[in-house]
Amino acid sequence: MSSRRGFLSRLALLGAGVAASPLVLGEVLKKKKSIARNVKPIVISTWDHGVAANDAAMQALKSGGDALDMAEKGVYNTESDLKNLSVGLGGLPDRDGITTLDASIMDYKHRAGSVACVSGYAHPISIARGVLEKTPHAMLVGEGAEQFAASLKFEKSSYTNPEAQKAWKEWLKTSEYKPIINIENHDTIGLLAQDSKGQLAGACTTSGLAFKMHGRVGDSPIIGAGLYVDNEIGAATCTGLGETVIRSCTSFLVVELMRQGASPQEACEEAIKRLYANNSFMTDEYQVGVLALRADGEFGAFGLRKGFTYAICQNGQNELREAKSLI
Ligand code: SD4
């Protein structure tokens, strides 16, 4: 009898626990030291072209823009470089010779927009922003994204980069389908910005893997994989072999680790370790780099392998640095 009563009361407790669990979780997270919000503008972005992107982001702020404008205009600058072989229309094509672009953007209101597998438009980041601001959706792909771009009166372009086409023709000779990014061939731009109100936003844009299968989409337009922003906590972005990042939800993980009290640097390191462990079945070498920016302005950067560079712009200084790496 008494054991039955005990069982019933345990059951009641369990029921109460289940019903209360979302609140309990909220309370646990609230116990973390609250993050003081930084109000000095800061921009951090991937690879060497991040230096120019950071300048463009700061310029957007000076012209009266906010974090969302900083994010868009920063990476727009990289997309405008038609010689860039991994961002924008100058990017290396897929195995069918078509350059297809992926981009995403997310802001301090937790709004997100992305496009994938878009061709013929120079600025997928602005189409992604259109998705964020003008549609009830979070993502548009292929033809539908192009129709949407046309409806916004974005100019269509038939530009192809002669250097990219030459590389593709060279690749066709062997057509060896090996979608592994080599260590030098990483140049997606991911950018995280904080404006002078302390608001966060991020953007990411790429032509993806060279000679990928037609229709292949990487991590860059996938919210939570290539980009994630939670204005309360911080933001993260990734570059590298997108398949590995998608499988580990790396940007989301970085932000969640920061929510649980990890520093931005610790969060980047932990997320790269997790990604490497998750992808241990992969035999080829690949590179992944991750950046994090916390709401208090502290940032982190970490690469799977040596060679991941990033640009950091703060206190009027914009400089290129090399991230520490796991391997
Ligand atoms: C992708 N993450 O499409 C991108 C590629 C990349 O630097 O980052 N390149 O998988």
Side-chain angles (χ1 to χ4, degrees):
M1 186 69 175
S2 70
S3 75
R4 183 166 182 267
R5 201 176 296 132
F7 171 74
L8 288 176
S9 59
R10 276 201 304 278
L11 207 67
L13 274 176
L14 204 69
V18 168
S21 63
L23 286 174
V24 170
L25 180 64
E27 291 309 312
V28 169
L29 293 174
K30 269 188 213 147
K31 279 189 198 150
K32 298 288 166 209
K33 219 172 86 213
S34 70
I35 302 169
R37 189 156 293 269
N38 163 56
V39 289
K40 285 194 204 149
I42 177 166
V43 190
I44 185 166
S45 60
T46 56
W47 305 113
D48 300 14
H49 50 203
V51 175
N54 288 358
D55 278 340
M58 285 299 186
Q59 193 49 52
L61 184 72
K62 281 196 196 114
S63 318
D66 66 359
L68 180 61
D69 299 302
M70 293 168 81
E72 183 199 5
K73 296 299 177 229
V75 304
Y76 187 104
N77 174 280
T78 321
E79 289 178 344
S80 302
D81 176 5
L82 294 175
K83 291 203 177 76
N84 191 317
L85 288 167
S86 42
V87 177
L89 285 178
L92 290 163
D94 63 20
R95 62 198 309 187
D96 297 342
I98 306 163
T99 297
T100 64
L101 306 176
D102 297 340
S104 64
I105 190 158
M106 191 161 185
D107 76 356
Y108 46 87
K109 294 180 185 162
H110 219 73
R111 299 183 301 172
S114 74
V115 292
C117 207
V118 170
S119 8
Y121 285 92
H123 293 294
I125 197 62
S126 301
I127 314 175
R129 182 171 179 167
V131 173
L132 177 154
E133 287 180 321
K134 297 181 177 18
T135 79
H137 305 308
M139 185 174 200
L140 292 176
V141 303
E143 217 181 299
E146 290 160 20
Q147 275 172 13
F148 175 62
S151 79
L152 295 181
K153 307 269 183 286
F154 287 135
E155 202 183 318
K156 201 151 168 51
S157 168
S158 56
Y159 176 81
T160 48
N161 181 354
E163 208 191 314
Q165 287 294 310
K166 200 170 135 208
W168 172 60
K169 283 186 185 129
E170 198 54 40
W171 174 82
L172 276 180
K173 287 183 189 159
T174 53
S175 297
E176 192 194 354
Y177 185 50
K178 204 167 176 250
I180 301 296
I181 286 185
N182 70 47
I183 308 300
E184 293 78 39
N185 182 18
H186 284 268
D187 286 315
T188 289
I189 179 106
L191 180 146
L192 308 172
Q194 189 166 36
D195 62 24
S196 28
K197 287 186 184 150
Q199 303 176 129
L200 292 166
C204 189
T205 176
T206 188
S207 57
L209 293 188
F211 321 130
K212 60 195 175 185
M213 288 176 75
H214 185 61
R216 179 265 183 190
V217 170
D219 59 313
S220 308
I222 310 286
I223 296 300
L227 178 71
Y228 192 66
V229 178
D230 182 328
N231 198 53
E232 286 302 307
I233 305 297
T237 189
C238 296
T239 176
L241 188 64
E243 282 74 4
T244 66
V245 176
I246 290 172
R247 286 193 285 262
S248 293
C249 298
T250 303
S251 292
F252 181 75
L253 177 61
V254 168
V255 173
E256 291 310 301
L257 288 168
M258 291 194 287
R259 189 193 305 279
Q260 288 163 32
S263 73
Q265 186 60 31
E266 286 167 343
C268 290
E269 294 184 12
E270 181 59 31
I272 287 286
K273 280 182 199 155
R274 179 89 65 90
L275 177 146
Y276 193 49
N278 285 346
N279 291 284
S280 59
F281 65 90
M282 301 254 315
T283 50
D284 297 278
E285 287 203 340
Y286 60 92
Q287 170 69 307
V288 173
V290 57
L291 297 179
L293 176 60
R294 201 167 57 183
D296 62 358
E298 194 176 320
F299 60 89
F302 201 59
L304 174 60
R305 294 170 202 282
K306 284 197 176 66
F308 171 44
T309 58
Y310 66 98
I312 172 75
C313 184
Q314 58 181 346
N315 304 321
Q317 283 215 318
N318 189 12
E319 61 186 38
L320 191 66
R321 296 186 187 175
E322 183 168 338
K324 290 195 182 124
S325 63
L326 184 65
I327 305 171

